[in-house]
Every structure is written in C-alpha cells, then in structure tokens.
Amino acid sequence: APGMNVANGLSVLRLALAPVLLWLAWRDEPRLFLSGLVAAFLLDLVDGPIARYLRQVSVVGAELDSIADFAIYTVFIIGAWLLWPDTVRQMPVYFTAVAASIVVPVCAGIVKFRRPTSLHTWMVKAAAVSMAPAAIALFAGIALWPFRVATFVCVLAAIEECIIIALLREPRSDVHSIFHLSGKSFRRNGSP
C-alpha cells in the first residue's frame, strides 16, 4: 500500500488496538485493558524515532500517528469510565481536562484548516510519556498525584497546540514547540 512502512505500520497497529481496548473495557477486563493501553503508549513512543532512524518520516505518517493518538486517548477516557467509574467520579475535573486536551486541539485544527493537525509537539510527547505510568498508578490504586501531574501536562500541551494552530497560516506537521515556528509560518499577507 502507498505510504506503508514500518513506522506507519506501528501507527496502524495502535489504531487497530483502539477497538480491542474498547472491547476489553466493555467486557470488564481491567488488567488486559491496562496492558493494551501500556502497549499502545509504548508503540507511540517508538514510532517517531523509528520513522526518523529509517528515514520514513512523512506527512501521511504524521497524520496517521495523530489519528492513532486521538483514537487511543479517546478509548482511554471511555475505558476509564467503563472500568473505574468511581475513580472518574472522584476526579471529574481531571478527566474532563484530559478529554478537553484531546478534543479541543483537534477541533481547532478542523475549524481553521478544515482538517485535524499533526503537530507532534514536544509538550504533547511529554504528556503521553507522563500519562502512561500515571494511568497505571491511578487505576492500580497506587497513587493519584501522577495522574494530576500528567493532566496538567496534557492541558499545557493542548494550550500550546491551540496557540500554534492560531498562529499558522497553513497546516504543518511536526512543529516541536511554539518557539520552533519560523516567522514565515505565521506572517499575515506579506507583513514584515
């Protein structure tokens, strides 16, 4: 298939994991759900470095990765509600903030560019790295504070993404941070 390579295959695998995770949550399989979620988070950590190492970085790959991210995080929220409703009810502000950090940047991209963006900022990567152990700690009953910290990182990442989207004139992939925008990315109509 055009655009299919090892890195994109990992994103497709994550995308395929989303309905499996949803089914596991529906079937009340918390351990299997968490194991699959951790696998999805780990695949997300390695697909970018693999793409760069194998020189398989592409716009299609970035978009596929973003779709997989959205699917996994959406299933994460739904699964949390199905498997640990008491925990979700105990921390509604945090779960709402995580959900908003997923949905709002996607909506901002669609409103501005008529399609989601695939920015892959460093802050979004930090959010993903912090959320995996935080989810395990939260749902295994170990500690609440890592999830609170990870939620804060998710919100900061979403705010940065929305600011970047507001500043861009056209959609771009792989913008490391707001500080990596070049002047030409967001100047309006030839203004200096």
Side-chain angles (χ1 to χ4, degrees), residues 91-130:
M91 304 175 72
V93 172
Y94 291 93
F95 279 95
T96 302
V98 171
S101 75
I102 298 163
V103 172
V104 171
V106 170
C107 291
I110 291 170
V111 166
K112 182 151 186 188
F113 301 119
R114 296 190 183 104
R115 67 185 181 99
T117 56
S118 50
L119 298 176
H120 300 115
T121 64
W122 287 337
M123 188 66 77
V124 166
K125 291 174 184 173
V129 167
S130 64

Side-chain angles (χ1 to χ4, degrees), residues 108-109 112-113 117 119 159-172 175 177-189 191:
K112 182 151 186 188
F113 301 119
T117 56
L119 298 176
I159 291 169
E160 182 184 43
E161 277 191 297
C162 289
I163 292 170
I164 290 170
I165 290 166
L167 293 174
L168 288 175
R169 288 187 308 170
E170 57 191 30
R172 277 185 48 199
V175 178
S177 75
I178 196 168
F179 303 108
H180 286 85
L181 288 174
S182 63
K184 65 182 177 188
S185 295
F186 55 90
R187 274 192 216 126
R188 303 214 184 262
N189 301 328
S191 59

